[in-house]
């Protein structure tokens, strides 16, 4: 019988959300950080128009999409690569730059897919502790060895929601060897744009990549489009690993129109942030801790793993699915995506009732 290669057989599958509501209950998914608000109507219209041309392969150079992104962000189109979600870019850049005997470095509560990408690439995955759910640049720098090839920082982070300043990222870059790649995953970057400028300038040094996605603020997770700003030399190599027609024509047209509609995405981010801060404030009033989030989700820290489990079960009984954090070593926490206003109210009431019962 054919056998999978040893390092593949040893891998745990990527844990996706379990979303089965009890009979008769509507599913309220707060588990995948999908947008609570709809995508740009102009984007949907552009995608629908492109559907008619589906007999043809998509543009392998993502020309229209790259032009739109570069105009909005003031970037060089040739330095942008587009992926089937930023996950494709994370995987391919890891395969490109790290392998057996190399180390991929990240922090304690870093996005789980970094570990998977390292495992697929047969590199060792190393993490350093966070401080109060924040990435520590000092600890990352202390953990660098001669084998470190890639340092991943999701900023803002998932599942913490917290963000370190761009000055800190610049300090991290300055402290790394020239031949170690820094990958800044800004999947939630749009929620923090305007905080303290942009990180795209770091890419010029030739050893940094900045990733973004249409899955979160743009409300287009189903389109599977991510993009990154790459140093030209690395872009050429990573591109060899991408599926040559990785982004469908409908997805390219949709996302090109979405990025141009900045008014829409800015408004969506503002409404989401207001709703998030209200929800987080209400949860804190129950005596639970919630790190300051700069994303479309919050991490709720309960008094104990038992309390988190009781809340999770009570929420599921109402059809509400948050994400359990046991896989991240946070069994007393649940991650809640900011959803519709009414659904957040139901979630708050269920959690308040559990807190009363638990006396926490
Ligand atoms: C959601 C998410 C991604 C993946 O996004 P896709 O573009 O949908 O593949 C990447 N990084 C982080 C930190 C995320 O939360």
């Amino acid at each position: 019988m054919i056998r999978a290669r040893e390092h593949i057989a040893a891998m745990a599958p990527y844990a996706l959300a379990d979303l089965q509501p009890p009979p008769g209950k509507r599913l309220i998914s707060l588990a995948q950080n999908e947008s609570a608000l709809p995508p740009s109507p102009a984007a949907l219209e552009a995608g629908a128009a492109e559907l008619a041309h589906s007999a043809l392969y998509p543009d392998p150079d993502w020309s229209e999409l790259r032009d739109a992104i570069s105009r909005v962000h003031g970037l060089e189109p040739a330095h942008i690569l587009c992926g089937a979600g930023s996950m494709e870019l994370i995987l391919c850049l890891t395969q490109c730059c790290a392998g057996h005997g190399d180390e991929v470095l990240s922090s304690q509560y870093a996005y789980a897919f970094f570990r998977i990408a390292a495992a697929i690439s047969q590199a060792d995955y190393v993490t350093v502790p966070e401080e109060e759910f924040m990435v520590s640049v000092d600890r990352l720098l202390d953990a660098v060895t001669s084998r470190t090839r890639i340092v991943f920082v999701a900023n803002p982070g998932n599942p913490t929601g917290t963000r370190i300043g761009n000055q800190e990222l610049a300090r991290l870059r300055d402290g790394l060897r020239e031949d170690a790649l820094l990958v800044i995953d800004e999947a939630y970057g749009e929620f923090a744009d305007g905080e303290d400028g942009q990180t795209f300038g770091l890419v010029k040094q030739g050893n940094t990549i900045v990733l973004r996605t249409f899955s979160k603020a743009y409300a287009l997770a189903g389109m599977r489009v991510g993009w990154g700003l790459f140093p030209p030399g690395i872009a050429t190599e990573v591109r060899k690993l991408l599926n040559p027609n990785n982004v469908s024509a409908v997805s390219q047209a949709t996302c090109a129109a979405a990025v141009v509609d900045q008014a829409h995405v800015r408004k969506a981010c503002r409404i989401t942030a207001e709703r998030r801060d209200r929800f987080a404030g209400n949860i804190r009033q129950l005596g639970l801790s919630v790190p300051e989030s700069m994303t479309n989700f919050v991490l709720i820290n309960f008094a104990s793993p038992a309390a988190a489990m009781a809340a999770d079960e009570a929420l599921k009984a109402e059809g509400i699915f948050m994400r359990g954090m046991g896989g991240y070593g946070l069994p007393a926490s649940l991650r809640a995506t900011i959803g519709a206003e009414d659904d957040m109210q139901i979630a708050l009431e269920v959690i308040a009732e559990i807190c009363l019962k638990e006396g926490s």
Side-chain angles (χ1 to χ4, degrees), residues 28 70 96 103 133 139 173 180 184 199 206 214 222 230 238 242 261 297 348:
I28 301 174
S70 57
C96 182
E103 286 176 359
F133 300 102
R139 288 187 189 218
R173 179 62 271 173
I184 305 170
T199 48
F214 286 91
F230 287 71
V238 171
L242 297 175
D261 193 353
F297 62 85
L348 176 65

Side-chain angles (χ1 to χ4, degrees), residues 26-112:
R26 167 179 69 102
L27 170 68
I28 301 174
S29 171
L30 306 179
Q32 304 204 94
N33 299 344
E34 291 149 334
S35 175
L37 298 155
S40 155
L44 296 183
E45 210 172 291
E50 186 59 37
L51 192 58
H53 309 295
S54 292
L56 306 177
Y57 276 106
D59 175 357
D61 290 320
W62 327 282
S63 310
E64 190 201 350
L65 176 56
R66 287 207 288 190
D67 283 349
I69 292 168
S70 57
R71 262 184 282 126
V72 167
H73 291 284
L75 307 171
E76 174 58 50
H79 300 169
I80 294 170
L81 292 183
C82 299
S86 48
M87 289 171 116
E88 187 189 24
L89 298 173
I90 290 166
L91 178 56
C92 291
L93 74 87
T94 306
Q95 288 177 314
C96 182
C97 298
H100 187 70
D102 296 332
E103 286 176 359
V104 171
L105 176 63
S106 194
S107 67
Q108 187 174 11
Y109 306 125
Y111 179 51

Side-chain angles (χ1 to χ4, degrees), residues 14 32-33 83-88 90 110-114 154-159 185-188 211-216 220-221 224-227 297 335:
Y14 186 73
Q32 304 204 94
N33 299 344
S86 48
M87 289 171 116
E88 187 189 24
I90 290 166
Y111 179 51
F113 194 67
F114 301 153
N155 200 45
N158 173 13
D185 178 354
E186 297 186 338
Y188 304 93
L211 300 175
R212 291 222 167 185
T213 180
F214 286 91
S215 297
K216 309 287 165 52
L220 291 167
R224 308 305 306 126
V225 185
W227 61 276
F297 62 85
R335 190 193 65 193

